[in-house]
PDB file of all heavy atoms in Angstrom:
ATOM      1  N   ILE A 177    -214.935 -55.336 161.058  1.00 95.00           N
ATOM      2  CA  ILE A 177    -215.282 -55.805 162.396  1.00 95.00           C
ATOM      3  C   ILE A 177    -216.446 -54.999 162.966  1.00 95.00           C
ATOM      4  O   ILE A 177    -217.379 -55.547 163.539  1.00 95.00           O
ATOM      5  CB  ILE A 177    -214.038 -55.733 163.325  1.00 95.00           C
ATOM      6  CG1 ILE A 177    -213.017 -56.769 162.843  1.00 95.00           C
ATOM      7  CG2 ILE A 177    -214.422 -55.961 164.783  1.00 95.00           C
ATOM      8  CD1 ILE A 177    -211.713 -56.756 163.588  1.00 95.00           C
ATOM      9  N   GLY A 178    -216.397 -53.678 162.732  1.00 94.00           N
ATOM     10  CA  GLY A 178    -217.411 -52.785 163.293  1.00 94.00           C
ATOM     11  C   GLY A 178    -218.824 -53.150 162.892  1.00 94.00           C
ATOM     12  O   GLY A 178    -219.722 -53.216 163.737  1.00 94.00           O
ATOM     13  N   GLU A 179    -219.026 -53.451 161.593  1.00 95.00           N
ATOM     14  CA  GLU A 179    -220.385 -53.737 161.117  1.00 95.00           C
ATOM     15  C   GLU A 179    -220.966 -54.988 161.778  1.00 95.00           C
ATOM     16  O   GLU A 179    -222.167 -55.068 162.054  1.00 95.00           O
ATOM     17  CB  GLU A 179    -220.393 -53.883 159.581  1.00 95.00           C
ATOM     18  CG  GLU A 179    -219.576 -55.034 159.042  1.00 95.00           C
ATOM     19  CD  GLU A 179    -219.357 -54.948 157.521  1.00 95.00           C
ATOM     20  OE1 GLU A 179    -218.741 -53.973 157.039  1.00 95.00           O
ATOM     21  OE2 GLU A 179    -219.814 -55.873 156.836  1.00 95.00           O
ATOM     22  N   VAL A 180    -220.100 -55.974 162.058  1.00 96.00           N
ATOM     23  CA  VAL A 180    -220.570 -57.200 162.710  1.00 96.00           C
ATOM     24  C   VAL A 180    -220.866 -56.932 164.188  1.00 96.00           C
ATOM     25  O   VAL A 180    -221.899 -57.361 164.714  1.00 96.00           O
ATOM     26  CB  VAL A 180    -219.541 -58.332 162.542  1.00 96.00           C
ATOM     27  CG1 VAL A 180    -219.920 -59.544 163.393  1.00 96.00           C
ATOM     28  CG2 VAL A 180    -219.430 -58.726 161.069  1.00 96.00           C
ATOM     29  N   LEU A 181    -219.975 -56.191 164.830  1.00 96.00           N
ATOM     30  CA  LEU A 181    -220.199 -55.868 166.246  1.00 96.00           C
ATOM     31  C   LEU A 181    -221.470 -55.044 166.429  1.00 96.00           C
ATOM     32  O   LEU A 181    -222.201 -55.228 167.388  1.00 96.00           O
ATOM     33  CB  LEU A 181    -218.984 -55.126 166.818  1.00 96.00           C
ATOM     34  CG  LEU A 181    -217.704 -55.955 166.955  1.00 96.00           C
ATOM     35  CD1 LEU A 181    -216.585 -55.101 167.551  1.00 96.00           C
ATOM     36  CD2 LEU A 181    -217.918 -57.202 167.793  1.00 96.00           C
ATOM     37  N   ASP A 182    -221.736 -54.144 165.467  1.00 95.00           N
ATOM     38  CA  ASP A 182    -222.956 -53.330 165.552  1.00 95.00           C
ATOM     39  C   ASP A 182    -224.202 -54.214 165.574  1.00 95.00           C
ATOM     40  O   ASP A 182    -225.138 -53.974 166.342  1.00 95.00           O
ATOM     41  CB  ASP A 182    -223.029 -52.351 164.370  1.00 95.00           C
ATOM     42  CG  ASP A 182    -222.053 -51.196 164.550  1.00 95.00           C
ATOM     43  OD1 ASP A 182    -221.565 -51.019 165.688  1.00 95.00           O
ATOM     44  OD2 ASP A 182    -221.768 -50.491 163.560  1.00 95.00           O
ATOM     45  N   VAL A 183    -224.195 -55.233 164.705  1.00 96.00           N
ATOM     46  CA  VAL A 183    -225.340 -56.148 164.671  1.00 96.00           C
ATOM     47  C   VAL A 183    -225.464 -56.864 166.012  1.00 96.00           C
ATOM     48  O   VAL A 183    -226.558 -57.013 166.568  1.00 96.00           O
ATOM     49  CB  VAL A 183    -225.180 -57.171 163.515  1.00 96.00           C
ATOM     50  CG1 VAL A 183    -226.218 -58.277 163.635  1.00 96.00           C
ATOM     51  CG2 VAL A 183    -225.310 -56.480 162.167  1.00 96.00           C
ATOM     52  N   MET A 184    -224.328 -57.288 166.550  1.00 96.00           N
ATOM     53  CA  MET A 184    -224.357 -58.000 167.832  1.00 96.00           C
ATOM     54  C   MET A 184    -224.830 -57.090 168.965  1.00 96.00           C
ATOM     55  O   MET A 184    -225.566 -57.524 169.854  1.00 96.00           O
ATOM     56  CB  MET A 184    -222.969 -58.568 168.144  1.00 96.00           C
ATOM     57  CG  MET A 184    -222.589 -59.699 167.182  1.00 96.00           C
ATOM     58  SD  MET A 184    -220.839 -60.162 167.293  1.00 96.00           S
ATOM     59  CE  MET A 184    -220.755 -60.747 168.973  1.00 96.00           C
ATOM     60  N   LYS A 185    -224.417 -55.829 168.889  1.00 96.00           N
ATOM     61  CA  LYS A 185    -224.849 -54.885 169.925  1.00 96.00           C
ATOM     62  C   LYS A 185    -226.357 -54.665 169.872  1.00 96.00           C
ATOM     63  O   LYS A 185    -227.028 -54.604 170.905  1.00 96.00           O
ATOM     64  CB  LYS A 185    -224.127 -53.536 169.767  1.00 96.00           C
ATOM     65  CG  LYS A 185    -222.677 -53.572 170.215  1.00 96.00           C
ATOM     66  CD  LYS A 185    -221.970 -52.258 169.870  1.00 96.00           C
ATOM     67  CE  LYS A 185    -220.465 -52.401 169.967  1.00 96.00           C
ATOM     68  NZ  LYS A 185    -219.762 -51.253 169.372  1.00 96.00           N
ATOM     69  N   SER A 186    -226.881 -54.563 168.656  1.00 95.00           N
ATOM     70  CA  SER A 186    -228.327 -54.326 168.548  1.00 95.00           C
ATOM     71  C   SER A 186    -229.094 -55.547 169.056  1.00 95.00           C
ATOM     72  O   SER A 186    -230.153 -55.436 169.661  1.00 95.00           O
ATOM     73  CB  SER A 186    -228.710 -53.973 167.111  1.00 95.00           C
ATOM     74  OG  SER A 186    -229.097 -55.109 166.385  1.00 95.00           O
ATOM     75  N   LEU A 187    -228.506 -56.715 168.821  1.00 96.00           N
ATOM     76  CA  LEU A 187    -229.116 -57.951 169.324  1.00 96.00           C
ATOM     77  C   LEU A 187    -229.127 -57.939 170.852  1.00 96.00           C
ATOM     78  O   LEU A 187    -230.108 -58.325 171.490  1.00 96.00           O
ATOM     79  CB  LEU A 187    -228.269 -59.133 168.808  1.00 96.00           C
ATOM     80  CG  LEU A 187    -228.907 -60.480 168.640  1.00 96.00           C
ATOM     81  CD1 LEU A 187    -230.145 -60.392 167.778  1.00 96.00           C
ATOM     82  CD2 LEU A 187    -227.890 -61.435 168.003  1.00 96.00           C
ATOM     83  N   ALA A 188    -228.027 -57.445 171.411  1.00 95.00           N
ATOM     84  CA  ALA A 188    -227.910 -57.381 172.872  1.00 95.00           C
ATOM     85  C   ALA A 188    -228.954 -56.428 173.447  1.00 95.00           C
ATOM     86  O   ALA A 188    -229.600 -56.722 174.455  1.00 95.00           O
ATOM     87  CB  ALA A 188    -226.502 -56.930 173.258  1.00 95.00           C
ATOM     88  N   ARG A 189    -229.135 -55.294 172.770  1.00 95.00           N
ATOM     89  CA  ARG A 189    -230.121 -54.313 173.238  1.00 95.00           C
ATOM     90  C   ARG A 189    -231.529 -54.894 173.248  1.00 95.00           C
ATOM     91  O   ARG A 189    -232.352 -54.553 174.067  1.00 95.00           O
ATOM     92  CB  ARG A 189    -230.090 -53.061 172.350  1.00 95.00           C
ATOM     93  CG  ARG A 189    -228.952 -52.098 172.675  1.00 95.00           C
ATOM     94  CD  ARG A 189    -229.180 -50.741 172.007  1.00 95.00           C
ATOM     95  NE  ARG A 189    -229.171 -50.813 170.559  1.00 95.00           N
ATOM     96  CZ  ARG A 189    -228.066 -50.763 169.814  1.00 95.00           C
ATOM     97  NH1 ARG A 189    -226.872 -50.648 170.386  1.00 95.00           N
ATOM     98  NH2 ARG A 189    -228.133 -50.834 168.498  1.00 95.00           N
ATOM     99  N   ASP A 190    -231.786 -55.820 172.307  1.00 94.00           N
ATOM    100  CA  ASP A 190    -233.120 -56.425 172.233  1.00 94.00           C
ATOM    101  C   ASP A 190    -233.328 -57.507 173.284  1.00 94.00           C
ATOM    102  O   ASP A 190    -234.367 -58.173 173.307  1.00 94.00           O
ATOM    103  CB  ASP A 190    -233.362 -57.019 170.848  1.00 94.00           C
ATOM    104  CG  ASP A 190    -233.530 -55.928 169.799  1.00 94.00           C
ATOM    105  OD1 ASP A 190    -233.556 -54.742 170.206  1.00 94.00           O
ATOM    106  OD2 ASP A 190    -233.629 -56.251 168.615  1.00 94.00           O
ATOM    107  N   GLY A 191    -232.305 -57.753 174.104  1.00 94.00           N
ATOM    108  CA  GLY A 191    -232.499 -58.666 175.225  1.00 94.00           C
ATOM    109  C   GLY A 191    -232.148 -60.118 174.955  1.00 94.00           C
ATOM    110  O   GLY A 191    -232.499 -61.000 175.742  1.00 94.00           O
ATOM    111  N   MET A 192    -231.464 -60.387 173.846  1.00 96.00           N
ATOM    112  CA  MET A 192    -231.073 -61.757 173.549  1.00 96.00           C
ATOM    113  C   MET A 192    -230.071 -62.273 174.584  1.00 96.00           C
ATOM    114  O   MET A 192    -229.212 -61.517 175.051  1.00 96.00           O
ATOM    115  CB  MET A 192    -230.445 -61.793 172.145  1.00 96.00           C
ATOM    116  CG  MET A 192    -229.881 -63.134 171.711  1.00 96.00           C
ATOM    117  SD  MET A 192    -231.112 -64.433 171.568  1.00 96.00           S
ATOM    118  CE  MET A 192    -231.868 -64.061 169.999  1.00 96.00           C
ATOM    119  N   THR A 193    -230.196 -63.525 174.948  1.00 96.00           N
ATOM    120  CA  THR A 193    -229.176 -64.158 175.795  1.00 96.00           C
ATOM    121  C   THR A 193    -227.983 -64.463 174.895  1.00 96.00           C
ATOM    122  O   THR A 193    -228.147 -65.118 173.861  1.00 96.00           O
ATOM    123  CB  THR A 193    -229.702 -65.487 176.383  1.00 96.00           C
ATOM    124  OG1 THR A 193    -230.946 -65.241 177.007  1.00 96.00           O
ATOM    125  CG2 THR A 193    -228.706 -66.075 177.365  1.00 96.00           C
ATOM    126  N   MET A 194    -226.815 -63.959 175.261  1.00 97.00           N
ATOM    127  CA  MET A 194    -225.661 -64.111 174.373  1.00 97.00           C
ATOM    128  C   MET A 194    -224.442 -64.626 175.125  1.00 97.00           C
ATOM    129  O   MET A 194    -224.124 -64.128 176.205  1.00 97.00           O
ATOM    130  CB  MET A 194    -225.317 -62.767 173.714  1.00 97.00           C
ATOM    131  CG  MET A 194    -226.378 -62.286 172.724  1.00 97.00           C
ATOM    132  SD  MET A 194    -226.188 -60.542 172.268  1.00 97.00           S
ATOM    133  CE  MET A 194    -224.741 -60.578 171.246  1.00 97.00           C
ATOM    134  N   VAL A 195    -223.774 -65.592 174.532  1.00 97.00           N
ATOM    135  CA  VAL A 195    -222.483 -66.044 175.053  1.00 97.00           C
ATOM    136  C   VAL A 195    -221.479 -65.812 173.930  1.00 97.00           C
ATOM    137  O   VAL A 195    -221.634 -66.359 172.839  1.00 97.00           O
ATOM    138  CB  VAL A 195    -222.509 -67.529 175.461  1.00 97.00           C
ATOM    139  CG1 VAL A 195    -221.204 -67.903 176.152  1.00 97.00           C
ATOM    140  CG2 VAL A 195    -223.702 -67.828 176.353  1.00 97.00           C
ATOM    141  N   VAL A 196    -220.506 -64.969 174.191  1.00 97.00           N
ATOM    142  CA  VAL A 196    -219.621 -64.513 173.130  1.00 97.00           C
ATOM    143  C   VAL A 196    -218.169 -64.784 173.493  1.00 97.00           C
ATOM    144  O   VAL A 196    -217.681 -64.310 174.521  1.00 97.00           O
ATOM    145  CB  VAL A 196    -219.802 -62.994 172.880  1.00 97.00           C
ATOM    146  CG1 VAL A 196    -218.952 -62.541 171.702  1.00 97.00           C
ATOM    147  CG2 VAL A 196    -221.267 -62.651 172.649  1.00 97.00           C
TER     148      VAL A 196
END
Side-chain angles (χ1 to χ4, degrees):
Chain A
I177 292 176
E179 63 193 62
V180 171
L181 291 181
D182 285 345
V183 169
M184 292 168 63
K185 285 173 195 168
S186 93
L187 206 54
R189 280 194 296 275
D190 289 355
M192 176 64 79
T193 308
M194 292 166 72
V195 187
V196 184

